[in-house]
Amino acid sequence: MKLSIGIVGLPNVGKSTLFNALLKKQVANVANYPFCTIEPNVGIIEVPDERLPVLAKIVNTTKIVPAVVEFYDIAGLVKGASTGAGLGNKFLSHIREVSAIVHVVRLFEDGNVVHVSEKINPQDDLQTIETELNLADLETLSKQREPKGDAASKEARSAWEVFIKVKENLNKGIPVRSQTISDEEKEVLKPLNLLSSKPVIYVFNVSESQLQNKEETEKKIEEILKQVKNDKKGFIYLCAKMEAEIVAFNNEEQKEYLKQFDLEESGLNRLIKKAYETLGLISFLTAGTLEARAWTIPKGTLAPQAAGTIHTDFEKGFIKADIIPYEKFIASSGWTKAREQGLVAIVGRDYEMKDGEVVEFKVNT
């Protein structure tokens, strides 16, 4: 499945620097002035997965295909974006296309990097973006027409009631994702592609000294999110400048460098994991002589639908699947011994896939 994430925030908070770190090469035009990014830069980023090289060695293949994420570096939003300020309408349209939003919030102080409002105020910055997304959604909802007359269907009247309810909450400053909305109501809203309905991961861009003062930095972030009434679970913090610098290091050098900040992995890895967690995604694995590969699916996906991510015909022709947890597959050195030891489960159409399972699908083509 396609996983796309838009990186948003005010100008000069470190969005393009973060994008470059993710992409592991300078693609975005990083400049010290607002709106240097006019079209969204798009990068296909490999999802780090230490399991794949191990699988490849066992099945004797040199081809490794990791899962991927599309990151969109979207130009900086400003106050008034919902009414077109700072080319806002164009940028907001780019956000509509993504699965989730990475909202970069500036915590670092740097006199050489101007702030669009000439002061560092994370609470105001965060609320500015949130408000603009809410206002854009109100504009979308205002374009919906109330069904009138006897010809109006029950479904149309029901949908209108949902629109009114959502508008009332948006006017109170409550984004769609924080509203109490039933599954049926979500289906009604789906065609509108409301911006504030998208899951958000807050990425606080800190300095290296803030990165070292872990306890103080986390306390500050939690206080900021508390003040703006946001869920503190949906955040990470990193130093985008440092992330962009260490991409030139090999894995061992990165690990050694990160130790001084009491970090076990890079911001990239943590962001990818947070994205998966936020969107409720998992990966299953396939391993054969052709390739070792990771496939992304939502939690709760049944075996036939998982097979369909490989090829649509596989879902239609699904018969059964051989499944084994990654750890057991490695311990038994592959399919042959795993089957001899009775470690491989044969599952049918009602089986719910789990993260990290190695799978062979049996299909009728």
Side-chain angles (χ1 to χ4, degrees):
M1 65 175 291
K2 180 181 176 182
L3 171 59
S4 57
I5 294 177
I7 303 175
V8 305
L10 291 172
N12 296 342
V13 296
K15 301 180 309 300
S16 294
T17 303
L18 175 61
F19 179 79
N20 289 336
L22 289 165
L23 200 56
K24 300 187 179 180
K25 59 183 177 182
Q26 296 292 316
V27 172
N29 175 27
V30 183
N32 183 23
Y33 55 89
F35 315 123
C36 66
T37 310
I38 302 302
E39 293 297 333
N41 293 285
V42 184
I44 308 298
I45 316 298
E46 293 184 355
V47 178
D49 195 333
E50 64 279 359
R51 299 172 298 196
L52 291 175
V54 182
L55 281 179
K57 190 174 181 180
I58 285 177
V59 297
N60 196 27
T61 184
T62 56
K63 186 177 180 181
I64 294 175
V65 185
V68 296
V69 179
E70 283 187 2
F71 275 94
Y72 288 69
D73 178 26
I74 296 170
L77 296 171
V78 293
K79 192 171 184 178
S82 59
T83 56
L87 302 178
N89 288 334
K90 190 173 186 180
F91 302 155
L92 289 170
S93 69
H94 293 145
I95 302 173
R96 294 191 190 281
E97 307 306 315
V98 301
S99 309
I101 295 170
V102 164
H103 182 173
V104 182
V105 184
R106 177 174 171 178
L107 249 63
F108 71 89
E109 298 274 359
D110 187 338
N112 295 317
V113 181
V114 298
H115 189 283
V116 71
S117 54
E118 299 182 354
K119 67 182 188 301
I120 306 300
N121 190 325
Q123 291 97 322
D124 283 359
D125 294 355
L126 205 151
Q127 286 177 314
T128 294
I129 300 296
E130 194 75 48
T131 298
E132 293 305 319
L133 298 183
N134 287 357
L135 289 173
D137 286 346
L138 282 168
E139 176 68 17
T140 299
L141 287 164
S142 71
K143 294 176 182 176
Q144 308 308 307
R145 294 288 170 256
E146 181 180 3
K148 294 179 179 179
D150 296 336
S153 67
K154 182 180 177 182
E155 290 78 12
R157 293 182 186 280
S158 178
W160 179 251
E161 289 176 8
V162 175
F163 299 156
I164 295 299
K165 168 186 165 183
V166 171
K167 280 175 70 175
E168 287 175 353
N169 283 315
L170 281 169
N171 278 315
K172 294 175 185 175
I174 305 171
V176 177
R177 65 179 170 277
S178 299
Q179 297 181 26
T180 302
I181 300 173
S182 69
D183 290 341
E184 291 78 8
E185 290 171 334
K186 286 177 183 176
E187 284 301 311
V188 171
L189 294 169
K190 197 172 183 180
L192 302 183
N193 209 2
L194 298 176
L195 301 178
S196 72
S197 67
K198 296 180 184 295
V200 175
I201 303 162
Y202 298 98
V203 175
F204 289 86
N205 191 7
V206 304
S207 64
E208 289 194 15
S209 61
Q210 287 171 320
L211 201 61
Q212 285 178 319
N213 297 323
K214 183 177 179 181
E215 190 173 328
E216 182 183 328
T217 300
E218 289 182 358
K219 186 177 179 181
K220 184 176 182 179
I221 292 171
E222 289 180 6
E223 183 58 35
I224 291 167
L225 292 176
K226 184 179 178 182
Q227 287 183 32
V228 297
K229 298 179 181 178
N230 274 299
D231 184 357
K232 67 181 184 181
K233 293 179 181 177
F235 81 86
I236 68 168
Y237 61 93
L238 50 76
C239 176
K241 182 173 177 287
M242 186 192 76
E243 293 288 336
E245 290 169 351
I246 67 171
V247 294
F249 300 173
N250 62 38
N251 287 340
E252 289 307 313
E253 289 171 336
Q254 280 192 21
K255 286 179 182 177
E256 193 61 34
Y257 188 86
L258 291 170
K259 276 182 183 178
Q260 66 183 298
F261 300 101
D262 196 27
L263 294 171
E264 294 182 0
E265 55 187 349
S266 69
L268 166 61
N269 289 17
R270 289 184 286 123
L271 181 52
I272 294 293
K273 288 178 181 178
K274 181 61 72 175
Y276 267 53
E277 176 189 321
T278 302
L279 290 171
L281 301 173
I282 60 173
S283 292
F284 72 88
L285 311 168
T286 55
T289 53
L290 292 179
E291 63 182 22
R293 184 164 183 163
W295 305 83
T296 302
I297 55 173
K299 284 180 184 175
T301 298
L302 300 181
Q305 286 71 55
T309 63
I310 298 175
H311 195 290
T312 51
D313 289 345
F314 284 12
E315 181 176 353
K316 298 172 187 174
F318 179 87
I319 300 171
K320 61 182 180 179
D322 287 357
I323 287 184
I324 179 172
Y326 167 79
E327 293 79 8
K328 291 184 179 180
F329 185 86
I330 299 305
S332 53
S333 301
W335 285 112
T336 303
K337 287 186 179 178
R339 288 189 173 100
E340 289 172 356
Q341 296 169 16
L343 299 175
V344 178
I346 300 173
V347 303
R349 291 183 166 276
D350 58 349
Y351 182 77
E352 187 176 305
M353 303 293 293
K354 299 178 183 63
D355 185 58
E357 290 178 321
V358 185
V359 188
E360 269 193 5
F361 291 107
K362 310 295 183 183
V363 297
N364 180 9
T365 55

